[in-house]
């Protein structure tokens, strides 16, 4: 009898554990996306755009930290296609990064399913096409990650969220832009700016006295923007997944590929107010507007628009230095962001990457340390995994700028898992640059004019530099970042100015160790597409 009671008790305990373990796996979110062409008139002229499920911009992904994302992408275009998940770290899963260095493109009239986890991330991100010049005609959308309920946020909960995808737009189609670039010509200034795919008709409605979170992403392919809201101040609370010091701003510079989140309290009279975005460092300046509408408003917004900052670079650089990490706040995991003391870690390697405009074979190209990147027919990740020779060689690009003649090539830095490196972006051009790194974030420790030297390290912020994945480099200036390479994989380091990337301004970081373990990297997915030398 006692044995029977004990057995029932033991079975009860096991049943409880089975329920706990059954509920322990993080939630899954499933999407099926049809990628098609469609006709829209963002700037008043009918043109071909890329739609996702007949939407432009594409449908948002609204998720929670650690959610598993399953996206079946059905390519109904006439060209190969890929989506990349801008800012998603792809912990141990560079197979899902969605760039040509890691993935074979999805052929026309076929599909491929992405499977990845939003591991230990919060914040404001986006997705977009990484192939060819597809990004210039749409296919982009928002990807917002809320914190888990057990994690507090360092600011009051807002009454609602508004997502604003702001960026430049060309009336010419992607094929026309691609033809122009391939002929050896650069792209002109864009034709206009859009907010959520519209030029001057996006409306965001809230109640007087309440506070709203505005998630703002620069989805453009060429120009920096300045963002402001008539009669309202903005409190910065998040920069690309990092809680920031809560400084107050009247306007914010946001560069290609960057995202921020701000809190705006509706303290004005009940009426409409202009939301304004204008290009920075361009002549002429392009401007678009949306509307912040107080609920019950019968009064349209009135001129003048809030004043934009001047052209001068030093204003923008000075503002950029005010973006600081909130060291007392939790991140996506329940530990303070400041517990990682990046400023005291020994740097194992320094890369000084100089971008330049060049003529190769009589045509315009862009280079990084003298090499203009060309995608091989076999993705680097597949060649690495299957030990396929003849696709790439490690460290064929120098750590510092070179005086060698510019050349086309497959450039790749070989680095070791858990290295802590310094990357200096040296901009030798008279135009602003933007750089993005897949697979991780970096600490932006310094901006400066002129040429970077080792003495420039004395000006680094080694206490509370913001951690982000995309950083601007001002004309004829430098930007320095520190990176903990804690994610094994093949990671694209690319220009956020898409024409420059298309013409070679990118490279890859191979973060590797000789341990084959699921703790550091997953195996190749069973559904991985094969192409080039990896086809068989």
């Amino acid at each position: 009898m006692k044995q029977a009671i004990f057995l029932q008790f033991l079975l009860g305990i096991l049943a409880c554990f089975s329920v706990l373990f059954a509920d322990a796996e993080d939630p899954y979110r499933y999407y099926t996306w049809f990628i098609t062409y469609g006709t829209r008139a963002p700037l008043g002229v009918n043109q071909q755009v890329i739609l996702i499920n007949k939407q432009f911009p594409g449908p948002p992904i609204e998720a929670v930290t650690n959610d598993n994302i399953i996206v079946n992408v059905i390519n109904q275009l006439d060209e190969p296609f890929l989506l990349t998940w801008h800012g998603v770290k792809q912990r141990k899963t560079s197979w899902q990064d969605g760039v040509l260095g890691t993935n074979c493109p999805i052929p026309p009239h076929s599909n491929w399913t992405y499977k990845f986890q939003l591991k230990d991330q919060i914040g404001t991100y986006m997705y977009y096409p990484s192939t060819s010049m597809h990004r210039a005609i749409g296919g982009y959308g928002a990807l917002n990650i809320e914190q888990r309920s057990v994690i507090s946020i360092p600011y009051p909960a807002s009454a609602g969220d508004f997502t604003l995808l702001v960026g430049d737009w060309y009336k010419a189609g992607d094929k026309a832009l691609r033809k122009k670039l391939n002929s050896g010509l650069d792209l002109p200034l864009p034709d206009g700016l859009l907010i959520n795919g519209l030029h001057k008709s996006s409306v965001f409605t809230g109640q007087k006295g309440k506070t709203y979170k505005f998630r703002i992403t620069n989805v453009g392919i060429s120009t920096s923007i300045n963002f402001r809201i008539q009669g309202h101040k903005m409190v910065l609370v998040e920069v690309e997944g990092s809680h920031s010091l809560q400084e107050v701003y009247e306007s914010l510079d946001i560069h290609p590929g960057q995202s921020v989140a701000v809190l705006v309290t509706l303290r004005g009279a009940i009426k409409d107010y202009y939301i304004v975005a204008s290009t920075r460092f361009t002549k002429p300046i392009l401007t678009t507007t949306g509307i912040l509408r107080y609920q019950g408003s019968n009064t349209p917004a009135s001129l003048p628009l809030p004043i934009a900052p001047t052209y001068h670079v030093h204003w923008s650089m000075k503002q950029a230095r005010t973006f600081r990490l909130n060291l007392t706040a939790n991140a996506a995991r329940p530990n303070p962001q400041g517990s990682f003391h990046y400023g005291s870690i020994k740097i194992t390697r320094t890369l000084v990457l100089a971008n330049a405009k060049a003529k190769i074979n009589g045509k315009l190209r862009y280079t990084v340390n003298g090499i203009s990147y060309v995608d091989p027919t076999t993705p680097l990740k597949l060649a690495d995994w299957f030990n396929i020779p003849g696709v790439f060689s490690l460290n064929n690009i120098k750590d510092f700028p070179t005086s060698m003649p510019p050349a086309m090539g497959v450039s790749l830095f070989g680095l070791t898992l858990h290295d802590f490196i310094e990357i200096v972006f040296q901009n030798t051009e008279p135009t602003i640059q933007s750089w993005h790194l897949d697979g991780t974030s970096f600490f932006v420790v310094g901006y400066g004019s002129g040429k970077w030297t080792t003495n420039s390290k004395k000006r680094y912020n080694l206490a509370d530099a913001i951690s982000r994945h995309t950083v601007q480099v001002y004309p004829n200036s430098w930007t320095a970042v520190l990176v903990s390479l804690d994610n094994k994989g093949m990671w694209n380091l690319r220009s956020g100015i898409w024409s420059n990337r298309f013409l070679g301004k990118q490279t890859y970081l191979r973060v590797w160790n000789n341990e084959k373990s699921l703790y550091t990297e997953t195996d190749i997915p069973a559904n991985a597409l094969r192409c080039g030398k990896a086809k068989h």
Side-chain angles (χ1 to χ4, degrees):
M1 183 67 178
K2 289 182 178 179
Q3 287 181 334
I5 293 173
F6 177 75
L7 183 59
Q8 288 179 344
F9 175 76
L10 184 60
L11 289 172
I13 293 293
L14 290 173
C16 290
F17 272 107
S18 67
V19 171
L20 287 172
F21 283 112
D23 293 340
E25 191 172 11
D26 293 302
Y28 281 74
R29 295 178 185 268
Y30 295 89
Y31 305 87
T32 298
W33 286 356
F34 291 87
I35 313 299
T36 61
Y37 292 120
T39 301
R40 296 288 188 276
L43 294 176
V45 177
N46 283 339
Q47 63 183 113
Q48 181 175 268
V49 303
I50 291 177
L51 306 177
I52 301 180
N53 291 354
K54 300 183 178 179
Q55 297 179 47
F56 169 72
I61 292 179
E62 301 287 350
V64 176
T65 300
N66 291 350
D67 280 357
N68 294 284
I69 305 298
I70 314 294
V71 187
N72 182 19
V73 175
I74 301 168
N75 177 19
Q76 297 183 333
L77 306 183
D78 58 359
E79 296 182 323
F81 183 80
L82 278 174
L83 287 173
T84 190
W85 315 93
H86 189 82
V88 175
K89 294 182 180 180
Q90 300 293 356
R91 289 286 181 194
K92 302 186 290 186
T93 56
S94 64
W95 307 104
Q96 310 293 331
D97 199 29
V99 293
L100 290 175
T102 57
N103 296 82
C104 297
I106 305 167
H109 310 296
S110 64
N111 76 297
W112 191 67
T113 301
Y114 291 87
K115 300 177 182 179
F116 57 91
Q117 186 179 24
L118 303 175
K119 182 66 175 172
D120 296 331
Q121 287 190 260
I122 59 167
T124 305
Y125 305 97
M126 65 171 163
Y127 63 84
Y128 53 77
S130 66
T131 39
S132 191
M133 288 296 290
H134 292 143
R135 185 178 168 189
I137 61 167
Y140 58 76
L143 197 166
N144 299 325
I145 311 174
E146 294 286 352
Q147 79 286 350
R148 291 175 290 160
S149 59
V150 296
I151 306 296
S152 61
I153 54 175
Y155 49 85
S158 61
D161 279 21
F162 298 128
T163 296
L164 289 80
L165 303 176
V166 186
D168 48 46
W169 190 260
Y170 288 88
K171 292 178 183 177
D174 62 311
K175 292 181 175 67
L177 296 176
R178 185 173 65 196
K179 183 177 179 180
K180 192 176 188 71
L181 291 169
N182 283 333
S183 71
L185 301 175
D186 216 338
L187 297 185
L189 189 69
D191 296 299
L193 295 180
L194 307 179
I195 299 176
N196 292 350
L198 303 171
H199 183 46
K200 289 188 176 180
S201 51
S202 293
V203 179
F204 306 89
T205 303
Q207 293 183 10
K208 179 179 173 64
K210 293 190 175 181
T211 298
Y212 294 86
K213 180 190 288 184
F214 284 72
R215 299 179 182 270
I216 310 146
T217 298
N218 184 340
V219 297
I221 65 169
S222 65
T223 52
S224 302
I225 62 166
N226 180 265
F227 181 86
R228 50 208 185 271
I229 302 177
Q230 187 180 44
H232 293 74
K233 295 185 184 300
M234 300 176 289
V235 179
L236 185 68
V237 293
E238 180 236 324
V239 176
E240 292 161 27
S242 294
H243 293 310
S244 65
L245 288 185
Q246 294 172 26
E247 300 285 353
V248 178
Y249 298 89
E250 292 186 353
S251 72
L252 285 167
D253 277 358
I254 307 171
H255 307 278
Q258 294 185 345
S259 298
V260 298
V262 298
L263 297 182
V264 179
T265 301
L266 277 53
R267 294 193 175 98
I270 296 177
K271 53 179 275 189
D272 292 358
Y273 298 85
Y274 281 117
I275 295 171
V276 185
S278 56
T279 56
R280 292 285 274 137
F281 319 115
T282 66
K283 293 180 181 178
I285 295 172
L286 307 176
T287 301
T288 190
T289 58
I291 295 295
L292 171 59
R293 175 165 295 158
Y294 280 42
Q295 190 171 310
S297 168
N298 294 311
T299 305
S302 57
L303 297 174
L305 298 179
I307 298 173
T310 63
Y311 177 87
H312 299 298
V313 166
H314 72 271
W315 184 97
S316 185
M317 189 183 294
K318 183 178 178 181
Q319 182 184 82
R321 292 189 180 117
T322 68
F323 291 9
R324 301 294 183 97
L325 195 62
N326 186 338
L327 298 181
T328 64
N330 285 331
R333 290 187 290 181
N335 63 290
Q337 296 190 69
S339 64
F340 183 82
H341 299 296
Y342 71 92
S344 60
I345 299 174
K346 183 180 179 181
I347 295 170
T348 57
R349 189 169 171 183
T350 295
L351 307 178
V352 180
L353 307 182
N355 59 270
K357 212 172 185 178
K359 279 286 183 76
I360 302 177
N361 299 325
K363 291 187 177 181
L364 172 68
R365 296 291 297 185
Y366 288 92
T367 63
V368 181
N369 286 3
I371 298 182
S372 183
Y373 186 87
V374 180
D375 281 302
T377 56
T378 306
L380 305 179
K381 184 64 185 171
L382 293 182
D384 199 22
W385 185 263
F386 292 116
N387 295 314
I388 300 172
V391 177
F392 69 86
S393 58
L394 287 176
N395 298 313
N396 62 336
I397 180 172
K398 302 299 182 183
D399 288 7
F400 293 87
T402 176
S403 58
M404 297 291 289
M408 313 268 272
V410 181
S411 56
L412 181 70
F413 289 99
L415 297 147
T416 302
L417 183 65
H418 300 304
D419 274 356
F420 188 77
I421 70 169
E422 175 184 40
I423 301 177
V424 178
F425 299 104
Q426 181 69 64
N427 185 8
T428 63
E429 298 177 59
T431 54
I432 193 165
Q433 304 296 316
S434 178
W435 283 95
H436 168 80
L437 176 59
D438 285 346
T440 190
S441 293
F442 42 64
F443 295 94
V444 184
V445 293
Y447 301 92
S449 301
K451 187 176 181 180
W452 179 90
T453 68
T454 53
N455 285 332
S456 304
K457 293 172 179 276
K458 296 175 183 177
R459 298 160 56 187
Y460 283 5
N461 173 7
L462 298 180
D464 60 354
I466 199 72
S467 176
R468 65 189 314 172
H469 54 67
T470 304
V471 70
Q472 71 275 18
V473 193
Y474 294 97
N476 298 308
S477 300
W478 57 266
T479 297
V481 304
L482 299 180
V483 193
S484 176
L485 299 176
D486 59 354
N487 193 13
K488 190 173 178 178
M490 189 74 69
W491 304 114
N492 191 210
L493 178 61
R494 61 178 175 265
S495 172
I497 299 172
W498 216 243
S499 59
N500 293 11
R501 177 187 185 265
F502 182 84
L503 293 178
K505 194 182 291 185
Q506 60 172 314
T507 186
Y508 278 83
L509 307 185
R510 177 189 185 249
V511 180
W512 186 85
N513 69 355
N514 59 8
E515 175 192 15
K516 188 172 175 60
S517 169
L518 295 179
Y519 288 104
T520 55
E521 186 177 33
T522 63
D523 288 336
I524 184 171
N527 71 334
L529 298 175
R530 310 292 179 91
C531 56
K533 294 182 178 181
K535 195 166 185 177
H536 302 293

